[in-house]
Amino acid sequence: MHDVAVVGAGPAGLAAAVEAAEAGLGVTLIDTAAQPGGQYWRHYDQTHARPDDHVGHHGWSVFTRLRARLDALRATGRIHYLPGQQVWLITREPNGPFTLQVTAATAAATAGRSQDGSDRTLAAHALILCPGGYDRQLPVPGWDLPGVLTAGGAQALLKGHRTPAGRRAVVAGTGPFLLPVATGLARAGVTVVAVVEANATLGWFRSPAGAASAPGKSAEALRYAALMARHRIPYRTRTVIREVLGTNRAEAVRVARVDRDGRPTGPDEEIAVDLVALGWGFTPSLELPLMLGAQTTMDTDGSLVVAVDDRQRSSVDGLYVAGEATGVGGAALAVHEGRLGALALAAERGRPADPALMRRLRGAVRRGRRFASAMHRTYPLPRAWPDWLTDTTLVCRCEEVAYGDLRRAHHDLGAEDARTLKMLARPGMGWCQGRVCGLATAGIAAWLSGRETGVDDLRPLATRSLAVPVPLGELAALVEETTPPEAADEGGRNGD
Amino acid sequence: MTHQMTFRGTTVAAEPGQSVAAALIAAGVTDWRTTGKGGRPRGLFCGIGICFDCLITVDGIPDQRACLVAAADGMRLGADAEPGAALQDACGPGDDDA
Ligand SMILES: Cc1cc2nc3c(=O)[nH]c(=O)nc-3n(C[C@H](O)[C@H](O)[C@H](O)COP(=O)(O)OP(=O)(O)OC[C@H]3O[C@@H](n4cnc5c(N)ncnc54)[C@H](O)[C@@H]3O)c2cc1C
Ligand code: FES
């Protein structure tokens, strides 16, 4: 039994695990990736590192210091680190410890693991969930063509695998993250024909609230502006991709100027590309906290996030949440939250935790959140985005549910809300369990019924009975083993 | 040393440390499966194990996420099994109200 299980070894989870262990708690740290760092500090396989791997990687020294502490704590047995493993179910007996079910992220990883199953089930008195998030996506005609990637995916391929995903790219959507993606691709030799930004300007570093709460960020914005200029990448604001063209892969995009709500105001223009990187900001991974019944709220960017207090405590006793899962706000904020949550837990479990440090971290988190809100307000999703869709545009890529299917479920079958839409037309019911189309489906449900997207639209698309699809054998083993009755029920129902 | 893998009868090279998906893309392959309903080509999309677009059979083991599996020498990519056959469909009706 561990004092605390930390899920996720990104900026939040790494900081939390190290801080908790140094405060004297016994920590187990579980992460899907083969090496620590999460999305922000994703890097090439360390055993084959090259000196130029980290050019332009901001905050890299923060990471290497955290990693050195992780290594030291592993050596003394304070942290039990399980890379390449994903948590797919968490349950809890009333007032008892948390039970985590863990499986290898890839079958290849299973081959090297002990076969006695000892790592399959873990127990911990407390949990710090730092599962991060993923790219937020809006469907657009042709977005299912190969050659269309998420912006984060294009970035991950570059940072983690030194592989540019194409030769001629357009980076589109909204938000400041489009800039590092574009400049990163350009540095790797890709011709970036444009950054296509749906909103108006780089206004966030002019916004007094934003700039004052994060002075370093204005410098960062200027740095990216300079890089964009150096690589001669046009930055086209108030512009969106209306369609990705191509037969069996992306060959071109049609872009158009739009008004504030995303309605086209100018003629379409066609641009030849073989890589389309799409990003509308990020949205949190909520399956683990939702599994445990943690209360959620809607963030300023319209994403469902876990509600936490000023010590990163969720509504569930013993469950702390830090990083993107409590609201998208970037790596620096994630680190502050991870540390704060770990110290708060240490204090609660009778370990020394410096109150002055906790106060400072609370202040940093407050400022970080303020800045994140300013960013979210600068880069909203265009209100009228469902207007871009045609009846044949796929919304759910897994189950191949098109916008027309959703419209018919609404008009002919009377589906008013996201939950009914999901039952009738099956968006969000494929392998990804609605991670990719969840926000879009919720937005379409609201749009078709003429209201704003609300928590009730988002929640049915964010709740998953298992955090990841697992091989049937694992479920069977779980049902056979001594497991909490609710978990066995889940397994039985899904096995139907 | 560069790894050599096979895919649809051709050899695909990979640098040690690259993922299967990265090696395929570097070799100019942008899709490696077709969808069940529409028969549409699919390859990499999210790049981080979230979307399951990139499923591929690796050494006979179906439904591996090409973006997560590290390339290795002698790997046989793609094949026989239907994508999705071995995975639990974790999302039957009724799961959404948990
Ligand atoms: C693809 C992608 C690329 C990005 N690139 C950049 C960038 O270049 N620059 C930038 O400023 N921001 C980037 N971001 C934003 C970035 O996510 C945040 O700034 C920062 O990484 C958040 O830190 P975090 O610790 O909250 O989450 P993350 O860094 O996302 O870390 C979460 C970790 O938890 C793991 N995890 C999640 N669920 C489970 C589970 N069930 N079991 C086990 N492990 C689990 C994940 O694998 C991941 O390693 C990117 C985001 C994405 C999605
Ligand atoms: S590309 Fe999304 S899971 Fe691999």
Side-chain angles (χ1 to χ4, degrees):
Chain A
M1 171 85 62
H2 299 268
D3 290 323
V4 54
V6 178
V7 181
L14 200 52
V18 163
E19 203 74 48
E22 286 175 355
L25 298 176
V27 177
T28 185
L29 172 63
I30 310 147
D31 188 69
T32 309
Q35 41 187 25
Q39 303 305 347
Y40 185 65
W41 290 318
R42 180 182 288 278
H43 54 289
Y44 202 81
D45 183 344
Q46 194 57 33
T47 49
H48 303 285
R50 280 193 215 139
D52 59 351
D53 276 345
H54 309 301
V55 173
H57 212 157
H58 297 302
W60 184 247
S61 60
V62 178
F63 170 67
T64 52
R65 281 197 299 273
L66 279 170
R67 186 177 57 189
R69 287 159 74 192
L70 169 68
D71 290 343
L73 291 157
R74 286 176 72 189
T76 58
R78 277 260 158 243
I79 294 184
H80 179 51
Y81 172 48
L82 297 172
Q85 304 285 317
Q86 48 196 355
V87 177
W88 57 274
L89 187 66
I90 307 181
T91 51
R92 185 191 211 178
E93 306 274 9
N95 302 317
F98 296 96
T99 305
L100 290 77
Q101 305 295 337
V102 179
T103 186
T106 67
T110 321
R113 198 166 52 125
S114 68
Q115 292 301 303
D116 62 3
S118 59
D119 275 345
R120 193 174 275 170
T121 303
L122 296 167
H125 290 294
L127 270 184
I128 307 180
L129 294 180
C130 308
Y134 40 87
D135 284 85
R136 195 149 85 149
Q137 289 300 319
L138 293 179
V140 62
W143 74 309
D144 54 321
L145 285 167
V148 181
L149 264 68
T150 66
Q155 177 84 333
L157 199 69
L158 208 54
K159 272 191 183 176
H161 306 276
R162 296 187 197 128
T163 309
R167 297 215 177 92
R168 233 179 112 77
V170 61
V171 181
T174 194
F177 181 59
L178 302 181
L179 303 185
V181 174
T183 54
L185 286 169
R187 194 168 31 228
V190 177
T191 304
V192 182
V193 295
V195 169
V196 171
E197 161 64 62
N199 285 297
T201 58
L202 277 172
W204 59 274
F205 73 94
R206 294 205 202 108
S207 139
S213 46
K217 294 283 183 178
S218 312
E220 198 177 315
L222 292 174
R223 204 162 40 236
Y224 281 122
L227 278 173
M228 293 276 289
R230 185 191 310 161
H231 292 293
R232 297 178 197 287
I233 304 172
Y235 187 57
R236 301 177 61 165
T237 56
R238 280 276 156 82
T239 306
V240 302
I241 291 183
R242 301 252 290 144
E243 184 172 10
V244 182
L245 305 166
T247 36
N248 282 320
R249 54 154 308 134
E251 291 162 13
V253 290
R254 283 199 300 118
V255 302
R257 296 268 302 163
V258 290
D259 66 12
R260 171 186 296 275
D261 288 337
R263 291 195 166 87
T265 56
D268 285 355
E269 178 195 340
E270 201 172 305
I271 310 175
V273 289
D274 65 356
L275 169 61
V276 184
L278 299 177
W280 296 93
F282 299 100
T283 198
S285 287
L286 288 191
E287 43 279 351
L288 296 176
L290 285 179
M291 233 174 233
L292 292 162
Q295 248 168 42
T296 52
T297 157
M298 199 157 104
D299 202 1
T300 25
D301 62 353
S303 279
L304 201 63
V305 300
V306 179
V308 290
D309 67 8
D310 65 354
R311 309 182 137 222
Q312 302 302 129
R313 289 182 300 196
S314 75
S315 63
V316 176
D317 189 39
L319 171 59
Y320 293 68
V321 184
E324 306 281 67
T326 67
V328 171
L333 176 59
V335 168
H336 295 318
E337 291 189 356
R339 296 184 70 191
L340 178 60
L343 290 173
L345 172 65
E348 192 154 300
R349 296 189 72 80
R351 307 284 173 165
D354 178 0
L357 174 58
M358 285 181 67
R359 248 193 328 274
R360 274 206 307 280
L361 287 170
R362 265 203 296 276
V365 168
R366 255 196 321 270
R367 282 190 302 278
R369 283 277 155 236
R370 246 195 331 263
F371 178 70
S373 293
M375 298 280 268
H376 295 164
R377 278 193 294 272
T378 308
Y379 298 102
L381 299 180
R383 191 180 305 264
W385 69 263
D387 249 3
W388 308 338
L389 309 178
T390 69
D391 272 358
T392 56
T393 309
L394 283 192
V395 174
C396 168
R397 302 165 64 96
C398 301
E399 293 290 288
E400 298 176 76
V401 182
Y403 181 56
D405 299 323
L406 297 181
R407 268 194 340 102
R408 277 187 294 278
H410 173 78
H411 288 299
D412 305 348
L413 306 172
E416 289 286 331
D417 57 282
R419 197 168 167 277
T420 317
L421 213 51
K422 183 175 166 185
M423 304 275 269
L424 293 177
R426 299 188 57 81
M429 293 221 176
W431 296 316
C432 92
Q433 305 185 74
R435 284 177 177 83
V436 178
C437 72
L439 175 95
T441 302
I444 288 169
W447 172 261
L448 291 174
S449 304
R451 52 187 156 76
E452 296 280 321
T453 312
V455 172
D456 292 340
D457 294 304
L458 292 167
R459 217 174 144 101
L461 274 307
T463 309
R464 289 159 195 119
S465 52
L466 307 176
V468 290
V470 291
L472 279 171
E474 303 248 357
L475 265 186
L478 177 64
V479 176
E480 278 162 23
E481 280 165 20
T482 55
T483 44
E486 321 85 282
D489 282 354
E490 289 290 356
R493 196 160 46 144
N494 283 299
D496 287 347
Chain B
M1 197 205 67
T2 306
H3 298 317
Q4 306 290 332
M5 307 184 288
T6 55
F7 172 72
R8 290 184 189 153
T10 65
T11 302
V12 173
E15 290 305 316
Q18 263 185 327
S19 66
V20 162
L24 286 167
I25 285 178
V29 180
T30 49
D31 65 275
W32 44 86
R33 76 167 174 100
T34 47
T35 61
K37 273 188 206 155
R40 304 288 298 150
R42 289 286 169 83
L44 193 75
F45 182 62
C46 76
I48 59 163
I50 294 291
C51 74
F52 292 77
D53 260 16
C54 68
L55 294 180
I56 193 166
T57 302
V58 178
D59 288 338
I61 308 172
D63 301 333
Q64 299 302 299
R65 283 168 283 180
C67 64
L68 297 186
V69 178
D73 202 38
M75 248 180 191
R76 287 175 295 114
L77 304 177
D80 8 293
E82 274 286 292
L87 284 181
Q88 161 71 5
D89 182 358
C91 358
D95 289 348
D96 54 346
D97 52 8

Short mmCIF file of all heavy atoms in Angstrom, two decimals, chain A residues 413-445:
data_model
loop_
_atom_site.label_atom_id
_atom_site.label_comp_id
_atom_site.label_asym_id
_atom_site.label_seq_id
_atom_site.Cartn_x
_atom_site.Cartn_y
_atom_site.Cartn_z
N LEU A 413 -35.94 12.48 -34.75
CA LEU A 413 -36.13 11.65 -33.56
C LEU A 413 -36.21 12.48 -32.29
O LEU A 413 -36.38 11.95 -31.19
CB LEU A 413 -34.99 10.62 -33.45
CG LEU A 413 -34.79 9.74 -34.70
CD1 LEU A 413 -33.53 8.90 -34.58
CD2 LEU A 413 -36.00 8.84 -34.93
N GLY A 414 -36.05 13.78 -32.44
CA GLY A 414 -36.28 14.66 -31.30
C GLY A 414 -35.18 14.70 -30.26
O GLY A 414 -35.42 15.05 -29.11
N ALA A 415 -33.95 14.34 -30.65
CA ALA A 415 -32.85 14.40 -29.69
C ALA A 415 -32.51 15.86 -29.39
O ALA A 415 -32.04 16.59 -30.26
CB ALA A 415 -31.63 13.67 -30.24
N GLU A 416 -32.74 16.29 -28.16
CA GLU A 416 -32.54 17.68 -27.78
C GLU A 416 -31.19 17.88 -27.10
O GLU A 416 -30.61 18.95 -27.18
CB GLU A 416 -33.62 18.13 -26.78
CG GLU A 416 -35.02 18.28 -27.39
CD GLU A 416 -35.13 19.53 -28.26
OE1 GLU A 416 -34.41 20.51 -27.96
OE2 GLU A 416 -35.92 19.50 -29.22
N ASP A 417 -30.72 16.85 -26.40
CA ASP A 417 -29.50 17.01 -25.61
C ASP A 417 -28.43 16.03 -26.08
O ASP A 417 -28.72 15.08 -26.81
CB ASP A 417 -29.81 16.78 -24.12
CG ASP A 417 -30.41 15.42 -23.90
OD1 ASP A 417 -31.62 15.24 -24.17
OD2 ASP A 417 -29.66 14.51 -23.52
N ALA A 418 -27.22 16.26 -25.62
CA ALA A 418 -26.07 15.48 -26.08
C ALA A 418 -26.22 14.00 -25.75
O ALA A 418 -25.86 13.13 -26.53
CB ALA A 418 -24.79 16.04 -25.45
N ARG A 419 -26.79 13.74 -24.58
CA ARG A 419 -26.90 12.35 -24.14
C ARG A 419 -27.82 11.56 -25.10
O ARG A 419 -27.50 10.46 -25.52
CB ARG A 419 -27.46 12.33 -22.72
CG ARG A 419 -27.23 11.04 -22.05
CD ARG A 419 -27.52 11.11 -20.56
NE ARG A 419 -27.57 9.74 -20.10
CZ ARG A 419 -28.64 8.99 -20.20
NH1 ARG A 419 -29.75 9.48 -20.72
NH2 ARG A 419 -28.60 7.74 -19.79
N THR A 420 -28.95 12.15 -25.45
CA THR A 420 -29.88 11.47 -26.36
C THR A 420 -29.28 11.35 -27.75
O THR A 420 -29.42 10.32 -28.42
CB THR A 420 -31.22 12.25 -26.41
OG1 THR A 420 -31.56 12.64 -25.09
CG2 THR A 420 -32.32 11.40 -26.99
N LEU A 421 -28.62 12.41 -28.16
CA LEU A 421 -27.95 12.39 -29.47
C LEU A 421 -26.96 11.23 -29.52
O LEU A 421 -26.87 10.51 -30.52
CB LEU A 421 -27.21 13.73 -29.64
CG LEU A 421 -27.08 14.34 -31.03
CD1 LEU A 421 -28.43 14.43 -31.72
CD2 LEU A 421 -26.47 15.73 -30.92
N LYS A 422 -26.25 11.05 -28.43
CA LYS A 422 -25.24 9.98 -28.36
C LYS A 422 -25.91 8.61 -28.42
O LYS A 422 -25.44 7.71 -29.11
CB LYS A 422 -24.43 10.16 -27.06
CG LYS A 422 -23.31 9.15 -26.89
CD LYS A 422 -22.47 9.47 -25.65
CE LYS A 422 -21.59 8.29 -25.30
NZ LYS A 422 -20.85 8.49 -24.06
N MET A 423 -27.02 8.46 -27.72
CA MET A 423 -27.74 7.17 -27.72
C MET A 423 -28.27 6.85 -29.11
O MET A 423 -28.24 5.71 -29.56
CB MET A 423 -28.93 7.23 -26.76
CG MET A 423 -28.57 7.60 -25.36
SD MET A 423 -28.05 6.17 -24.44
CE MET A 423 -29.64 5.69 -23.79
N LEU A 424 -28.80 7.88 -29.80
CA LEU A 424 -29.49 7.61 -31.06
C LEU A 424 -28.54 7.52 -32.25
O LEU A 424 -28.71 6.69 -33.13
CB LEU A 424 -30.53 8.70 -31.32
CG LEU A 424 -31.71 8.71 -30.35
CD1 LEU A 424 -32.64 9.88 -30.64
CD2 LEU A 424 -32.48 7.40 -30.40
N ALA A 425 -27.55 8.39 -32.28
CA ALA A 425 -26.69 8.44 -33.48
C ALA A 425 -25.30 7.85 -33.23
O ALA A 425 -24.53 7.70 -34.16
CB ALA A 425 -26.57 9.87 -33.99
N ARG A 426 -24.96 7.54 -31.96
CA ARG A 426 -23.71 6.90 -31.57
C ARG A 426 -22.43 7.72 -31.77
O ARG A 426 -21.36 7.12 -31.91
CB ARG A 426 -23.56 5.54 -32.27
CG ARG A 426 -24.65 4.55 -31.93
CD ARG A 426 -24.36 3.16 -32.47
NE ARG A 426 -23.09 2.61 -32.00
CZ ARG A 426 -22.90 2.03 -30.82
NH1 ARG A 426 -23.88 1.95 -29.97
NH2 ARG A 426 -21.72 1.55 -30.51
N PRO A 427 -22.46 9.03 -31.76
CA PRO A 427 -21.17 9.72 -31.75
C PRO A 427 -20.51 9.49 -30.39
O PRO A 427 -21.22 9.33 -29.40
CB PRO A 427 -21.55 11.20 -31.89
CG PRO A 427 -22.88 11.30 -31.25
CD PRO A 427 -23.58 9.98 -31.58
N GLY A 428 -19.20 9.42 -30.36
CA GLY A 428 -18.50 9.28 -29.08
C GLY A 428 -18.57 7.89 -28.50
O GLY A 428 -18.27 7.68 -27.34
N MET A 429 -18.97 6.92 -29.31
CA MET A 429 -19.10 5.56 -28.79
C MET A 429 -18.06 4.62 -29.37
O MET A 429 -18.18 3.41 -29.26
CB MET A 429 -20.49 5.03 -29.09
CG MET A 429 -21.55 5.77 -28.32
SD MET A 429 -22.73 4.58 -27.77
CE MET A 429 -23.82 5.57 -26.80
N GLY A 430 -17.07 5.16 -30.04
CA GLY A 430 -16.03 4.30 -30.63
C GLY A 430 -14.83 4.18 -29.72
O GLY A 430 -14.92 4.43 -28.52
N TRP A 431 -13.72 3.83 -30.29
CA TRP A 431 -12.52 3.55 -29.51
C TRP A 431 -12.07 4.72 -28.67
O TRP A 431 -11.55 4.54 -27.58
CB TRP A 431 -11.38 3.13 -30.43
CG TRP A 431 -11.64 1.88 -31.17
CD1 TRP A 431 -12.18 0.72 -30.66
CD2 TRP A 431 -11.39 1.63 -32.56
NE1 TRP A 431 -12.28 -0.21 -31.65
CE2 TRP A 431 -11.80 0.30 -32.81
CE3 TRP A 431 -10.86 2.39 -33.58
CZ2 TRP A 431 -11.69 -0.27 -34.07
CZ3 TRP A 431 -10.74 1.82 -34.83
CH2 TRP A 431 -11.15 0.50 -35.07
N CYS A 432 -12.17 5.92 -29.19
CA CYS A 432 -11.64 7.06 -28.43
C CYS A 432 -12.62 7.50 -27.36
O CYS A 432 -12.31 8.36 -26.55
CB CYS A 432 -11.25 8.22 -29.33
SG CYS A 432 -12.54 9.44 -29.60
N GLN A 433 -13.80 6.93 -27.35
CA GLN A 433 -14.81 7.17 -26.33
C GLN A 433 -15.20 8.65 -26.22
O GLN A 433 -15.48 9.15 -25.14
CB GLN A 433 -14.31 6.69 -24.96
CG GLN A 433 -13.90 5.23 -24.95
CD GLN A 433 -13.54 4.77 -23.55
OE1 GLN A 433 -14.42 4.58 -22.73
NE2 GLN A 433 -12.26 4.63 -23.28
N GLY A 434 -15.19 9.31 -27.36
CA GLY A 434 -15.66 10.69 -27.35
C GLY A 434 -14.60 11.72 -27.01
O GLY A 434 -14.91 12.90 -26.86
N ARG A 435 -13.35 11.30 -26.85
CA ARG A 435 -12.31 12.30 -26.54
C ARG A 435 -12.18 13.30 -27.68
O ARG A 435 -11.99 14.49 -27.44
CB ARG A 435 -10.97 11.62 -26.31
CG ARG A 435 -10.85 10.93 -24.98
CD ARG A 435 -9.51 10.24 -24.90
NE ARG A 435 -9.31 9.61 -23.63
CZ ARG A 435 -9.76 8.40 -23.31
NH1 ARG A 435 -10.46 7.72 -24.18
NH2 ARG A 435 -9.54 7.88 -22.12
N VAL A 436 -12.24 12.79 -28.91
CA VAL A 436 -12.01 13.68 -30.04
C VAL A 436 -13.29 14.48 -30.39
O VAL A 436 -13.22 15.66 -30.64
CB VAL A 436 -11.50 12.89 -31.27
CG1 VAL A 436 -11.30 13.80 -32.47
CG2 VAL A 436 -10.19 12.20 -30.93
N CYS A 437 -14.44 13.81 -30.39
CA CYS A 437 -15.66 14.49 -30.87
C CYS A 437 -16.56 14.97 -29.75
O CYS A 437 -17.62 15.53 -30.01
CB CYS A 437 -16.45 13.59 -31.83
SG CYS A 437 -17.28 12.22 -30.98
N GLY A 438 -16.17 14.73 -28.50
CA GLY A 438 -17.05 15.04 -27.37
C GLY A 438 -17.49 16.50 -27.34
O GLY A 438 -18.68 16.81 -27.25
N LEU A 439 -16.52 17.38 -27.43
CA LEU A 439 -16.83 18.80 -27.37
C LEU A 439 -17.71 19.20 -28.55
O LEU A 439 -18.68 19.95 -28.41
CB LEU A 439 -15.54 19.62 -27.38
CG LEU A 439 -15.77 21.11 -27.44
CD1 LEU A 439 -15.74 21.70 -26.05
CD2 LEU A 439 -14.77 21.80 -28.34
N ALA A 440 -17.38 18.68 -29.73
CA ALA A 440 -18.14 19.02 -30.93
C ALA A 440 -19.58 18.51 -30.83
O ALA A 440 -20.53 19.22 -31.16
CB ALA A 440 -17.45 18.46 -32.17
N THR A 441 -19.73 17.28 -30.36
CA THR A 441 -21.07 16.72 -30.24
C THR A 441 -21.90 17.53 -29.24
O THR A 441 -23.07 17.85 -29.49
CB THR A 441 -21.00 15.24 -29.81
OG1 THR A 441 -20.23 14.53 -30.77
CG2 THR A 441 -22.39 14.63 -29.73
N ALA A 442 -21.28 17.88 -28.13
CA ALA A 442 -21.98 18.70 -27.13
C ALA A 442 -22.38 20.04 -27.75
O ALA A 442 -23.51 20.52 -27.58
CB ALA A 442 -21.09 18.92 -25.91
N GLY A 443 -21.45 20.63 -28.51
CA GLY A 443 -21.72 21.92 -29.14
C GLY A 443 -22.83 21.82 -30.18
O GLY A 443 -23.67 22.72 -30.29
N ILE A 444 -22.84 20.73 -30.92
CA ILE A 444 -23.86 20.55 -31.96
C ILE A 444 -25.23 20.33 -31.31
O ILE A 444 -26.24 20.88 -31.78
CB ILE A 444 -23.48 19.37 -32.89
CG1 ILE A 444 -22.29 19.78 -33.78
CG2 ILE A 444 -24.66 18.93 -33.76
CD1 ILE A 444 -21.65 18.64 -34.55
N ALA A 445 -25.26 19.56 -30.23
CA ALA A 445 -26.53 19.34 -29.53
C ALA A 445 -27.12 20.69 -29.11
O ALA A 445 -28.32 20.96 -29.30
CB ALA A 445 -26.32 18.45 -28.31
#
